[in-house]
Amino acid sequence: VLLDGQDVTRMPVRKRREAGMSHIPEDRLKVGTAKTCTIRDNLITNRYYRKPYSKHGVMDNKALMRLSDQMCRDYQIKTPDATYLLSTLSGGNMQKVVFAREMEADPTLLVAAQPTRGIDIGAIESIWTRIIQARDEGKAVLLVSAELDEVLSLADRVLVMYEGQIMAELPREEATETKVGVYMTGAKRKESRLLPKGRAVGLGVLKRVLLIVLALAVASIFLAVSGYDPLAILKGLAQSMTQDLAGTIRWSTAMILA
């Protein structure tokens, strides 16, 4: 993985941050914050060791307090002051703490995974505005989201993934809810410069087809040895599977068009 021409694949997290990468994790409670620590401590975890906030290994608590209070004001984190425990905040304000910490690092690349999951509308609008501002300032933003509204509102280019594979690369003007929804189900694949040519379906689909064929072959042999008619049984199974598949297609189509 190259960032500004620098290989960051095996770098420790601190080195990646110093190279210009910021990350908003998908789960803010498990990996993005420390609920038992103060708001200030959560805001400064990526800079407490740097100048001018630390000299010869000794933290300047006054400077860190001024910084964290300013970040609370700038990002509208609703708290009397930054000395309160993070656990006293609402989910939306916790997410603002994570967002403020990552954005104030002035990153070259911001990786935002599900940045608005589980938060209120007001916090969503605030975070969206900041993401757009980062893009307009020339920062690279990699937005990972399962929310179509969020993707279509913020992205300039949309990559659709299914079972770990990129199914389509679409410019924003071509990305509609219906088209993206079809690629999300894995029902269709679009060739692009990011996709290997000549592969119409994912490896996961091929594996499942081969397993089904193998299972049917083994079952046929077993039934024939046992004295049953395998063709009659397979016909019944095929009819049942066809009915189930038709119902699934109708349900998926309704979900895509909803």
Side-chain angles (χ1 to χ4, degrees):
V1 178
L2 299 179
L3 178 60
D4 275 349
Q6 185 178 7
D7 188 351
V8 298
T9 309
R10 299 184 182 277
M11 279 187 179
V13 173
R14 179 177 289 187
K15 291 294 184 182
R16 292 180 185 178
R17 288 186 173 279
E18 291 174 351
M21 182 184 295
S22 284
H23 177 222
I24 300 171
E26 181 176 350
D27 193 328
R28 59 178 172 269
L29 295 179
K30 287 185 178 180
V31 295
T33 57
K35 289 181 66 177
T36 57
C37 294
T38 65
I39 297 168
R40 187 206 76 157
D41 290 343
N42 278 274
L43 286 169
I44 66 171
T45 52
N46 58 349
R47 70 189 66 207
Y48 67 90
Y49 58 92
R50 298 181 181 180
K51 294 181 179 180
Y53 309 110
S54 177
K55 295 179 181 179
H56 307 295
V58 178
M59 291 191 298
D60 186 338
N61 285 310
K62 289 183 178 180
L64 289 169
M65 199 67 228
R66 286 194 299 270
L67 172 68
S68 54
D69 283 340
Q70 186 62 49
M71 290 168 71
C72 286
R73 288 191 294 269
D74 291 345
Y75 288 84
Q76 300 176 347
I77 300 169
K78 297 178 181 178
T79 180
D81 61 64
T83 60
Y84 280 66
L85 292 180
L86 186 81
S87 57
T88 62
L89 298 179
S90 65
N93 281 292
M94 284 186 189
Q95 189 71 351
K96 287 181 183 179
V97 169
V98 176
F99 198 80
R101 180 185 66 215
E102 302 304 320
M103 287 300 299
E104 284 301 301
D106 193 25
T108 303
L109 168 64
L110 172 66
V111 180
Q114 310 288 1
T116 59
R117 173 179 287 177
I119 62 177
D120 59 87
I121 294 176
I124 289 174
E125 291 179 352
S126 175
I127 289 173
W128 281 11
T129 299
R130 292 282 184 172
I131 289 176
I132 292 171
Q133 180 182 342
R135 178 203 63 189
D136 292 344
E137 291 174 355
K139 295 178 173 63
V141 180
L142 176 59
L143 173 66
V144 183
S145 179
E147 300 293 334
L148 272 181
D149 288 344
E150 184 166 67
V151 171
L152 298 180
S153 296
L154 300 178
D156 297 310
R157 185 164 56 107
V158 179
L159 274 69
V160 186
M161 298 189 70
Y162 174 76
E163 292 192 342
Q165 297 185 44
I166 297 175
M167 302 301 291
E169 178 188 1
L170 302 169
R172 174 60 189 88
E173 57 271 15
E174 293 182 14
T176 64
E177 288 191 13
T178 302
K179 184 177 288 188
V180 172
V182 170
Y183 290 120
M184 286 174 65
T185 64
K188 189 176 180 182
R189 187 183 182 96
K190 179 180 180 181
E191 297 292 343
S192 83
R193 60 186 180 83
L194 295 178
L195 308 179
K197 295 183 178 179
R199 296 176 62 183
V201 294
L203 290 176
V205 177
L206 290 175
K207 287 179 181 177
R208 273 180 285 190
V209 171
L210 290 174
L211 286 174
I212 291 171
V213 172
L214 179 61
L216 289 174
V218 173
S220 298
I221 295 171
F222 175 78
L223 291 171
V225 171
S226 302
Y228 295 98
D229 183 359
L231 289 178
I233 294 174
L234 289 175
K235 284 181 180 178
L237 286 173
Q239 290 175 354
S240 176
M241 290 173 65
T242 301
Q243 292 172 356
D244 290 342
L245 180 60
T248 301
I249 290 173
R250 286 195 297 270
W251 179 84
S252 298
T253 304
M255 289 296 292
I256 290 168
L257 297 178

